[in-house]
Amino acid sequence: MTTANKQHLVVVGAGVIGLTTALMALETGKYDVTIVARDFPGDKKSVGYTSPWAGAHHVSNAGKDKRLLAMDMESLPRFLAMAGDSSSKWADCFLHIKQTELFVEAKTAEQECLTEMPNFKYIPQGELPPGFQQGCTFDTVTIDTSRYLPCLVAELRRLGCQFIRFTLSHVAQLQVPIIPRKADAIIICAGLGARHLGGVEDKNCYPVRGQVLLVRAPWYRHGITRSSMAGDWTYTIPRACGDVILGGFKTDNDWTAHAVSSQTTDILERCIAMAPDLIPESISKNRDKKVLVEELRKLLIEEGSGLRPARKGGVRIESEELQVGWDRIPLIHHYGHAGAGYQASFGSARLCLEEVARSLTAHGRVKARL
């Protein structure tokens, strides 16, 4: 239920960034919130809606980006708290794991980020796999996106959020009757869609394509990632439900919208070589590599392509003024998280809402008519 004395925020986009921003706005008690989006959790998966495809473990890849690292580390305690509340509906969305990270190069920027993680430990040199110069273990949490996103929607509904399905071509369309009442501010959480959305058209946005596999392996409970500065990137991300995400690829400016069969085979080969316990020991004993890959393929549930919403210059959190007729309204940009959407979501949403508050104060004498 909306209230006349609360300011009305319109959030464009229902990915994890849009949903989390709306949630934190409602938690303040200061705002009414309407989310306008083309895609919502529960829709059939598509390449145009990235959040359902995410592996979504909390492992920072902020590198030297101190602002992004701060977002990541601010978000982690909230995820850990939700994961630890066994009486909560959130509990089934999460899995506490020990995560192993292995690097071909020593002292990478990504490696330094991870020293912030709980129970961080370097792996002794003599225990590293051949070809790796450095490694570490730490505790973290993985997020089952198929459960977490609907939980976010349910919580938003409980708090009074309104949802409108609409394919927006220009921000100026956000007027009554498309939205239920006049907006005091608009927050753009459109991800890669910000590149083409009229009134925004941020050409610094670009896709970083990934391909992921989902397999059924409830016995597997340890996350592993192997990476190098050259771009090699192999990972396993177990989920609480017993499924495991396998990956992966990072390809800039690749708009390929379907899973590529050769990449599926490549992921299977790399993951079984890295983590042979993806196959039960009773099956994996005395099998050659090709047989093991085919055994892992038998566990495959789905494969798909996702476009991480990256941006030159990193995450954009800034405001400008939207002119519609005689009226002006704060327009806040909040996108460009690439593959860090989940792990940065709460920290980033807080920064966005600080920008919202500043913008509303600055525009306090301009009454929005949208």
Side-chain angles (χ1 to χ4, degrees):
M1 180 180 295
T2 60
T3 51
N5 62 331
K6 290 184 180 181
Q7 291 168 310
H8 181 212
L9 305 183
V10 175
V11 176
V12 177
V16 68
I17 294 298
L19 296 174
T20 307
T21 302
L23 176 65
M24 293 190 71
L26 287 166
E27 287 177 342
T28 68
K30 299 177 181 178
Y31 306 110
D32 291 323
V33 179
T34 299
I35 296 177
V36 178
R38 180 193 63 192
D39 304 296
F40 285 98
D43 291 354
K44 184 179 179 180
K45 281 187 174 181
S46 69
V47 74
Y49 185 36
T50 301
S51 287
W53 288 110
H57 59 174
H58 195 293
V59 178
S60 181
N61 59 1
K64 297 179 180 179
D65 187 339
K66 300 300 183 183
R67 184 181 64 149
L68 181 56
L69 178 60
M71 294 178 199
D72 291 349
M73 298 317 300
E74 183 177 339
S75 302
L76 181 59
R78 180 140 183 178
F79 287 128
L80 290 172
M82 288 190 288
D85 185 359
S86 60
S87 64
S88 167
K89 64 182 180 181
W90 301 100
D92 288 343
C93 303
F94 298 94
L95 176 66
H96 285 283
I97 62 167
K98 175 182 276 190
Q99 176 73 24
T100 298
E101 297 280 312
L102 299 167
F103 297 87
V104 172
E105 295 83 4
K107 296 294 182 184
T108 64
E110 287 77 12
Q111 176 76 43
E112 294 302 310
C113 287
L114 301 176
T115 59
E116 304 277 344
M117 299 299 290
N119 296 317
F120 176 91
K121 295 178 182 178
Y122 284 108
I123 299 172
Q125 190 72 34
E127 297 177 15
L128 292 171
F132 290 87
Q133 295 296 312
Q134 196 165 43
C136 61
T137 62
F138 51 87
D139 294 341
T140 189
V141 64
T142 70
I143 304 167
D144 185 340
T145 62
S146 68
R147 300 185 183 201
Y148 180 63
L149 293 174
C151 278
L152 279 178
V153 170
E155 183 66 6
L156 285 165
R157 290 192 188 281
R158 186 186 73 81
L159 293 173
C161 185
Q162 298 193 56
F163 296 84
I164 296 174
R165 189 185 294 273
F166 185 79
T167 301
L168 199 65
S169 59
H170 196 288
V171 290
Q173 293 174 284
L174 293 172
Q175 303 180 59
V176 178
I178 290 175
I179 57 175
R181 67 183 178 93
K182 300 168 186 177
D184 293 295
I186 296 170
I187 308 173
I188 304 298
C189 300
L192 196 56
R195 179 181 174 90
H196 303 291
L197 179 60
V200 179
E201 296 173 340
D202 190 337
K203 299 307 180 185
N204 286 319
C205 296
Y206 66 95
V208 179
R209 182 184 176 274
Q211 183 161 314
V212 295
L213 314 180
L214 186 69
V215 300
R216 183 67 181 168
W219 54 86
Y220 185 84
R221 310 299 259 185
H222 181 182
I224 306 176
T225 302
R226 291 184 175 183
S227 59
S228 76
M229 298 297 284
D232 300 325
W233 197 41
T234 305
Y235 56 83
T236 58
I237 305 174
R239 290 180 167 176
C241 64
D243 296 340
V244 183
I245 291 281
L246 308 181
F249 286 91
K250 290 181 181 178
T251 312
D252 291 357
N253 293 301
D254 183 348
W255 295 84
T256 304
H258 60 276
V260 178
S261 60
S262 61
Q263 292 185 348
T264 293
T265 299
D266 184 49
I267 292 171
L268 291 170
E269 290 174 347
R270 285 188 280 135
C271 285
I272 199 66
M274 180 181 75
D277 49 339
L278 282 166
I279 301 295
E281 187 178 358
S282 59
I283 298 175
S284 64
K285 271 191 171 182
N286 302 316
R287 298 294 184 102
D288 63 31
K289 292 180 181 179
K290 288 185 178 180
V291 172
L292 289 177
V293 168
E294 293 312 307
E295 291 292 340
L296 183 56
R297 195 188 300 272
K298 291 176 184 178
L299 306 178
L300 186 63
I301 299 171
E302 70 175 2
E303 55 188 332
S305 176
L307 304 180
R308 302 177 186 90
R311 181 177 178 274
K312 297 175 185 176
V315 177
R316 187 181 186 187
I317 302 176
E318 60 183 359
S319 59
E320 60 178 304
E321 197 173 75
L322 175 66
Q323 188 82 34
V324 181
W326 294 102
D327 301 311
R328 292 175 292 163
I329 187 171
L331 182 71
I332 295 86
H333 303 276
H334 188 204
Y335 51 82
H337 297 76
Y342 282 85
Q343 64 207 34
S345 55
F346 287 101
S348 187
R350 181 186 61 78
L351 293 178
C352 176
L353 291 173
E354 288 179 358
E355 185 66 25
V356 169
R358 282 193 294 268
S359 297
L360 288 170
T361 299
H363 291 80
R365 289 174 293 179
V366 181
K367 197 69 176 178
R369 301 296 182 184
L370 288 177

